[in-house]
Short mmCIF file of all heavy atoms in Angstrom, two decimals:
data_model
loop_
_atom_site.label_atom_id
_atom_site.label_comp_id
_atom_site.label_asym_id
_atom_site.label_seq_id
_atom_site.Cartn_x
_atom_site.Cartn_y
_atom_site.Cartn_z
N ALA P 38 -10.82 11.90 -13.89
CA ALA P 38 -11.41 12.71 -12.83
C ALA P 38 -11.17 12.07 -11.46
O ALA P 38 -10.87 12.77 -10.49
CB ALA P 38 -12.90 12.89 -13.08
N LEU P 39 -11.27 10.74 -11.39
CA LEU P 39 -11.01 10.07 -10.11
C LEU P 39 -9.54 10.21 -9.71
O LEU P 39 -9.23 10.39 -8.52
CB LEU P 39 -11.37 8.59 -10.22
CG LEU P 39 -12.84 8.27 -9.99
CD1 LEU P 39 -13.08 6.81 -10.24
CD2 LEU P 39 -13.21 8.60 -8.57
N VAL P 47 -4.65 13.74 -1.54
CA VAL P 47 -3.27 13.62 -1.05
C VAL P 47 -2.74 14.98 -0.60
O VAL P 47 -2.13 15.12 0.47
CB VAL P 47 -2.38 12.99 -2.14
CG1 VAL P 47 -0.93 13.10 -1.77
CG2 VAL P 47 -2.74 11.55 -2.34
N GLY P 51 -1.61 16.40 3.17
CA GLY P 51 -0.35 17.06 3.48
C GLY P 51 -0.57 18.35 4.23
O GLY P 51 0.07 18.62 5.25
N ASP P 64 1.84 9.39 6.18
CA ASP P 64 1.81 7.96 5.81
C ASP P 64 0.55 7.66 5.00
O ASP P 64 0.61 6.95 3.99
CB ASP P 64 1.83 7.10 7.07
CG ASP P 64 3.20 7.09 7.71
OD1 ASP P 64 4.16 7.41 7.01
OD2 ASP P 64 3.29 6.76 8.91
N VAL P 65 -0.58 8.21 5.46
CA VAL P 65 -1.83 7.99 4.74
C VAL P 65 -1.74 8.56 3.33
O VAL P 65 -2.17 7.93 2.36
CB VAL P 65 -3.00 8.64 5.51
CG1 VAL P 65 -4.31 8.30 4.85
CG2 VAL P 65 -3.00 8.21 6.93
N ALA P 66 -1.13 9.75 3.20
CA ALA P 66 -1.01 10.39 1.89
C ALA P 66 -0.15 9.54 0.95
O ALA P 66 -0.50 9.35 -0.22
CB ALA P 66 -0.42 11.79 2.05
N LEU P 67 0.95 9.00 1.49
CA LEU P 67 1.86 8.20 0.64
C LEU P 67 1.18 6.92 0.18
O LEU P 67 1.23 6.55 -1.00
CB LEU P 67 3.12 7.89 1.45
CG LEU P 67 4.38 7.54 0.70
CD1 LEU P 67 4.63 8.53 -0.39
CD2 LEU P 67 5.53 7.53 1.65
N ALA P 70 -1.42 7.74 -2.45
CA ALA P 70 -0.83 8.08 -3.74
C ALA P 70 -0.39 6.83 -4.49
O ALA P 70 -0.64 6.70 -5.70
CB ALA P 70 0.36 9.02 -3.52
N VAL P 89 -5.59 -7.14 -18.66
CA VAL P 89 -4.86 -6.44 -17.60
C VAL P 89 -3.41 -6.91 -17.54
O VAL P 89 -2.48 -6.12 -17.60
CB VAL P 89 -5.56 -6.63 -16.25
CG1 VAL P 89 -4.72 -6.04 -15.14
CG2 VAL P 89 -6.90 -5.96 -16.26
#
Side-chain angles (χ1 to χ4, degrees):
Chain P
L39 277 175
V47 169
D64 286 340
V65 185
L67 202 48
V89 173

